[in-house]
Amino acid sequence: MKTLTAVALAAILFLAYLVVIQAPGGQSISQSQISPQTQTCLACHKLYTPGIVEDWQRSLHSQESPASAMKKPELERRISAREIPAHLENVVVGCYECHSLNPERHQDNFDHFGFRINVIVSPQDCATCHPTEAKEYSMSKKAHARGNLEKNPVYHALVGTVISQKAVKDGKIVQQETSDFTRQETCFGCHGTEVKVNGLREVETQIGGIKVPNLINWPNQGVGRVNPDGSLGSCTACHPRHAFSIEMARKPYTCAQCHLDPDVPAWNVYKESKHGNIYFSHYQRWDFQAVPWKVGKDFQAPTCATCHNSLITAPGGKTVIAERTHDFGSRLWVRLFGLVYSHPQPKHGDTTIIRNKDGLPLPTTFTGEPASEYLISQEEQARREAHFKKICQSCHSTQWTEKHFAKLDNTVKEVDSMILASTLLLVEAWKNNLAEGLPHGKNPFDETIEQMWIRQWLFYGNSIKYASAMTGAPDYATFKNGWWNLTENLQHMKDWIELKKKAADR
Amino acid sequence: MKTLTAVALAAILFLAYLVVIQAPGGQSISQSQISPQTQTCLACHKLYTPGIVEDWQRSLHSQESPASAMKKPELERRISAREIPAHLENVVVGCYECHSLNPERHQDNFDHFGFRINVIVSPQDCATCHPTEAKEYSMSKKAHARGNLEKNPVYHALVGTVISQKAVKDGKIVQQETSDFTRQETCFGCHGTEVKVNGLREVETQIGGIKVPNLINWPNQGVGRVNPDGSLGSCTACHPRHAFSIEMARKPYTCAQCHLDPDVPAWNVYKESKHGNIYFSHYQRWDFQAVPWKVGKDFQAPTCATCHNSLITAPGGKTVIAERTHDFGSRLWVRLFGLVYSHPQPKHGDTTIIRNKDGLPLPTTFTGEPASEYLISQEEQARREAHFKKICQSCHSTQWTEKHFAKLDNTVKEVDSMILASTLLLVEAWKNNLAEGLPHGKNPFDETIEQMWIRQWLFYGNSIKYASAMTGAPDYATFKNGWWNLTENLQHMKDWIELKKKAADR
Amino acid sequence: MKTLTAVALAAILFLAYLVVIQAPGGQSISQSQISPQTQTCLACHKLYTPGIVEDWQRSLHSQESPASAMKKPELERRISAREIPAHLENVVVGCYECHSLNPERHQDNFDHFGFRINVIVSPQDCATCHPTEAKEYSMSKKAHARGNLEKNPVYHALVGTVISQKAVKDGKIVQQETSDFTRQETCFGCHGTEVKVNGLREVETQIGGIKVPNLINWPNQGVGRVNPDGSLGSCTACHPRHAFSIEMARKPYTCAQCHLDPDVPAWNVYKESKHGNIYFSHYQRWDFQAVPWKVGKDFQAPTCATCHNSLITAPGGKTVIAERTHDFGSRLWVRLFGLVYSHPQPKHGDTTIIRNKDGLPLPTTFTGEPASEYLISQEEQARREAHFKKICQSCHSTQWTEKHFAKLDNTVKEVDSMILASTLLLVEAWKNNLAEGLPHGKNPFDETIEQMWIRQWLFYGNSIKYASAMTGAPDYATFKNGWWNLTENLQHMKDWIELKKKAADR
């Protein structure tokens, strides 16, 4: 393994001098708009990671400087900064512009052929041009997704129960360690890992050995990733790689990476819904890049982004129907998924601060009573619901919209009541010492009846509530992880208790 | 809440006078072709529900009058009426043209700013221009989908068992009430609700409070919806919203809203089949709007509509391969799904009239004997099968087609025999009082072994039969709800009986 | 039924004389390029199977002669022959050119209106122009997919257990015969059937009765089909029907026909991955027909074909990143799926020759020890892994790629260890005579605990390993057939043993 010499570096810089970058379709990007540093990056990376260079060349970042982006009318702007550092203003947003920001904060900053480069570009870096988005995001549950899972002892126990290695010893299943690798590709694949830097490491590349920061718990693009600069989140989770595409974030495949069945069946329900049908049938004629996103004009049925975070206007592009937000729960009033019972949205994205009546870090008690102090008020719920309905009413009548949400309200109640019935069965099993859980100070997630109980709320209850919320996925509400399964599994819980009781009697 | 005044109405009418409707792509629809009433509708709804106005502007309905549509050559016509009421003939098909029809029949007719408007446009209204389609549809099982489920005591019991609230009392699961809301979003989401009108109700809109008919069991677009004019069905189930799109109905996503796994896995099987592969790979180059639909020319692999209902011709557009039909079962001979055993298609869309030998309203007995009197004859079956094969033979050789259906015949027999084995186990459980069902005059769907039995025919048998019928989805026939599951679950039924017998012995 | 007369044949030949073939888009294919024989075929089949004629007209085969295809620069060639039989060189690749090859080898060769025609075109026939592809394919596990399943007594027993008819006799489930039809549409739908010719058979067509070879176990397009000329494989499995499309083979839907959950969840994992997200969001702008396939230029995220078999170059089209291969396992080092434990790829596509330490035809022992003699060496594994990583490194950094595969290595180990724990439970059940399996000389696949064990490796282990390998499908690794299910099912295995032991104790 030979480390690159000064000669090679000189050759690279000469290459940089010669390079002419071509945009797709043949129009060349004016050299003068690409910073000299980025030109140097491109000279090598065109050869060594050509895929991402091509990706970038198709992006808006390679086509436009912040200065020109800032000149657009308010509603058409994709950039929220009012002021941009002078050296970035008049060059396109290239490799160096992003990978060199805030070096003092970046533990992953390293010397790369004479340039100080960060491996990871964090939301804090993106905030240079997109401060509003970064700020909103930082307040969201998404930004805190790792901590909310990791630092909450209840969830932490569930994670450990599910993804730990197991062995069988003396007829018992024994939970063993959980590896960082498995954490990285299961729960924390979506929730995000804590990326740490462990010195430098030499990697063998096409041009010889080079030294790079040794990143631990990486690669990872989870929404709550803890970055080496201390910031939370990963913009690439939804705007992947070097395309920085608004189109991709607006298409439902992006959300579908994490929000899918059996636990969060948003994507599955969408696919089966009327909205999904219209999307799949006609999306080829829609405009996923228009800013603002004009209802009826640019699209004729909502995707996830329409209802949850895009800037939506009337067809004329002037009347705002919904403001853009990157605090993803902020349009929602009720929290349907992820926990045993539905409850009002939490006030803060960081849910580790919540304490229910029993002192547990959960938004409801074991029987469903909400920890109201930590959840948004009834007034705030009403405000958000009214705001949300405005989006529906772009296409649906007032009555249609009202009745739709009245149905959802009822479904939430019914499902919660079914879950309560299941919880009471679990409590009965614990009381009769048929299984060991909370009352015994034992893991409440690792026995058969406990697993059945988890299925009730995490899979089946969620499916029904999502099917109800997203207007029309009758199969998900019925036979596919729906009422059928909720009913069947409740029966299995009862059977299990009966069987264990009989065995205990003898 | 203020009710809209005459002044506001005048303002609206003035707006209507000023409005210029733009079609997508910028070409303006000739004002003279839009009726004055519809122009008034548009003036407001462009502001208040812009999404549906834009949707309509992209539709053929906004581009063409019935008079011009009727001038097309026979095979190219999308309109089956020979005569159209004079006042509709020369205007495009706008809001008022559809929402004002047959007011005397519509319990949901109401005064809307001086116009008599129906909230719901029913198949009977669409029949003004599309009488053949409406008539065919009215004879289909789809039109009767709600009644066939609701009025059949056996199915009614199954529905109640699955979607009712449950509570646990004294160690037993007690079935409680089923809400209309849950009915609406589960079984009857696809099958259709009975929409009733309960007087007027004031809704708060952007322009103040307005009074609208209070619709119960709505929104709903189920195929067998009972409309406030007494008609059955909902055209928007397959031609959604205000696009009235033939493309959408021909693309498989539409059928996929209801015909998906685990109970009716047509969509899942299609996705995994060779036909599906070709569709997904090449559909972007196909023409989903051409009438007639020319095999090879407009598409190179079938979608659901190709085989089941579209007007299909040879590439030249002159030789008819299959006539259009909106009676969806009418090309089929054997009924694969929905019931315990396969059987010939019923003679009538209304299946509540069927009585098997045991007097139950089912097309077969509990052991599979068909209620032949109510089912199509062997001759009719042969006629339909021969007709259907003509579609296959547009691309496949005669031998290919014959062998394909010989395979299906065998699969139907094998699956039915596996289901019979399962039924005999259930009967054994009942006979030995291990569970209480039909012989005890009790619910045959609510105990564990009964649920296992339902899975056999409703999920696993159906999957195998669909995989066989739709040429090529080996996984659905094998591991994904197929033979694997049929076999495994039969084993579980046997285990359950064994365990219960042992427990009873002691 | 009347057999076609000489008069009809004359009429057909006259039609052939008149016919003018139109390519899609209206440009006519030069008549002189279509062989007279193919012109005759087209004359009839345009009328009788118009779909496939249209399909062919859209294909490259109808547009270009081998002679012109051979003139392309090396990397752009889609044809690997260096020499083509003279009579085929200057005509486009039409019906007769393919269906008349090697008649002496084809048991399905027959007289069809004066022409000697093979019903099936086999890889050996395609080898006329594509010899490299045919040869590579012949060495792959795909080519041997039927034999590997059929001739291996262990797999054979599993197949028989899953897809045989069952009856219940004296409270026991009795395995009965397995029909050829069911074999054809389940396991061998993907693995391929042995197509046999059983004399001639008269079929009734639109133009009267004609005699054709009676093909048994057909239609089938399984990858390991045994053809009537003795060759193995079916090119139409991935290049379906008469489009012979490279685009289709490169799009993931083709692989998805067989590689999907629960047993081989490649497709499901891809859909949920970052790569899948980028594909679905942007594929409309990619070029799936370009040869070579240029990373970044023609596509911005990989499909199955990118990593597993396409010829991939840098954006300029000159620097080869990966050579084309039709030996599909040849880029892989570790074999993740299909068997109890992961192991190095087998040396030969024919895996029936493998013997493990216990003398069984399996690549590992029951406890995971590899049958190394039949598997590729550590050096070959390292070579392949290094080669594979070059593809990843077109877009990903060296460190990214290394850490990704280090994670996979760990996952393989952890999953194998979980499977071993499951196997030990099964062995315990056998030892205690709670179930009868290998030690009893009995079927190891037909009892409840055996079925549970199969689920562990065939469904859940595979899901986790695929999710790990394909970078990012956290749900498949966790809740959707992942760690959750592996854990839950291990618990069920333990419960089952406990219950059986208690019952035996009494």
Side-chain angles (χ1 to χ4, degrees), chain A residues 79-100:
Chain A
I79 184 170
S80 54
R82 297 289 151 187
E83 219 171 324
I84 301 276
H87 71 285
L88 297 174
E89 232 179 328
N90 292 301
V91 289
V92 299
V93 187
C95 323
Y96 188 76
E97 284 62 45
C98 298
H99 280 275
S100 70

Side-chain angles (χ1 to χ4, degrees), chain A residues 274 277 281 284-285 297 300 393-395 399 402-403 407 411 414 468 475 480 487-488 495 506, chain B residues 49 51 58 162 165-166 179 182 185 201 213-215 236-237 241 247 251 254 261 283 448 455:
Chain A
K274 187 71 81 190
N277 174 21
S281 295
Q284 298 93 334
R285 301 188 209 118
K297 212 73 168 178
Q300 280 100 46
Q393 287 167 358
S394 313
C395 293
Q399 183 182 201
E402 277 181 12
K403 299 227 156 172
K407 184 164 66 57
T411 299
E414 289 195 12
S468 180
D475 223 43
K480 201 142 110 194
T487 297
E488 186 186 48
D495 287 357
R506 265 183 246 113
Chain B
T49 54
R58 279 158 179 75
V162 174
Q165 292 259 42
K166 279 103 195 167
S179 71
T182 286
E185 74 183 15
R201 134 201 193 103
N214 185 16
L215 297 187
T236 202
R241 304 289 297 160
E247 171 173 8
K251 285 188 172 168
T254 290
D261 84 344
Y283 79 92
T448 303
R455 280 184 171 264

Side-chain angles (χ1 to χ4, degrees), chain C residues 66-306:
Chain C
S68 101
M70 287 169 76
K71 283 186 199 128
K72 297 221 167 114
E74 187 64 23
L75 287 178
E76 293 175 30
R77 288 182 68 193
R78 293 154 197 261
I79 183 171
S80 54
R82 299 288 151 188
E83 219 172 323
I84 301 276
H87 71 285
L88 297 174
E89 232 180 327
N90 293 300
V91 290
V92 300
V93 187
C95 324
Y96 188 74
E97 284 63 44
C98 297
H99 281 275
S100 70
L101 291 165
N102 310 310
E104 68 291 354
R105 291 175 179 158
H106 272 274
Q107 289 179 31
D108 59 329
N109 186 271
F110 74 118
D111 180 279
H112 189 51
F113 301 115
F115 297 99
R116 297 299 311 179
I117 295 296
N118 309 321
V119 180
I120 287 177
V121 178
S122 80
Q124 197 163 248
D125 301 328
C126 300
T128 309
C129 296
H130 307 283
T132 306
E133 288 70 28
K135 179 145 188 253
E136 287 168 352
Y137 190 84
S138 74
M139 300 184 299
S140 70
K141 288 194 296 299
K142 284 208 190 331
H144 293 87
R146 183 195 155 273
N148 286 349
L149 199 59
E150 182 70 9
K151 297 183 201 159
N152 184 313
V154 179
Y155 306 159
H156 191 81
L158 179 55
V159 168
T161 307
V162 174
I163 66 171
S164 58
Q165 291 260 39
K166 279 102 195 168
V168 182
K169 282 185 185 162
D170 305 327
K172 286 208 185 305
I173 292 172
V174 186
Q175 215 173 290
Q176 298 179 314
E177 75 287 349
T178 305
S179 70
D180 277 345
F181 275 134
T182 287
R183 291 164 56 83
Q184 186 179 336
E185 73 183 16
T186 54
C187 309
F188 299 92
C190 285
H191 283 256
T193 59
E194 182 177 5
V195 181
K196 291 181 193 162
V197 180
N198 187 9
L200 289 175
R201 133 199 193 106
E202 186 160 292
V203 293
E204 185 63 19
T205 73
Q206 287 183 63
I207 50 167
I210 61 171
K211 286 201 165 143
V212 297
N214 185 17
L215 298 186
I216 309 298
N217 296 326
W218 184 87
N220 176 270
Q221 301 95 27
V223 293
R225 190 177 66 191
V226 183
N227 298 303
D229 66 349
S231 68
L232 301 178
S234 156
C235 302
T236 202
C238 305
H239 302 281
R241 304 289 296 159
H242 295 83
F244 315 105
S245 162
I246 198 171
E247 170 173 7
M248 229 180 271
R250 282 170 169 180
K251 285 188 171 168
Y253 317 104
T254 289
C255 307
Q257 292 175 95
C258 291
H259 293 228
L260 75 171
D261 83 346
D263 51 327
V264 199
W267 169 228
N268 308 75
V269 163
Y270 181 74
K271 281 196 286 188
E272 169 175 342
S273 72
K274 186 72 81 190
H275 288 160
N277 174 20
I278 299 174
Y279 168 81
F280 287 110
S281 295
H282 280 182
Y283 79 91
Q284 297 93 334
R285 302 188 207 118
W286 299 357
D287 186 345
F288 287 90
Q289 298 182 327
V291 173
W293 214 16
K294 298 176 289 301
V295 73
K297 212 73 169 176
D298 298 325
F299 59 91
Q300 281 101 46
T303 67
C304 319
T306 312

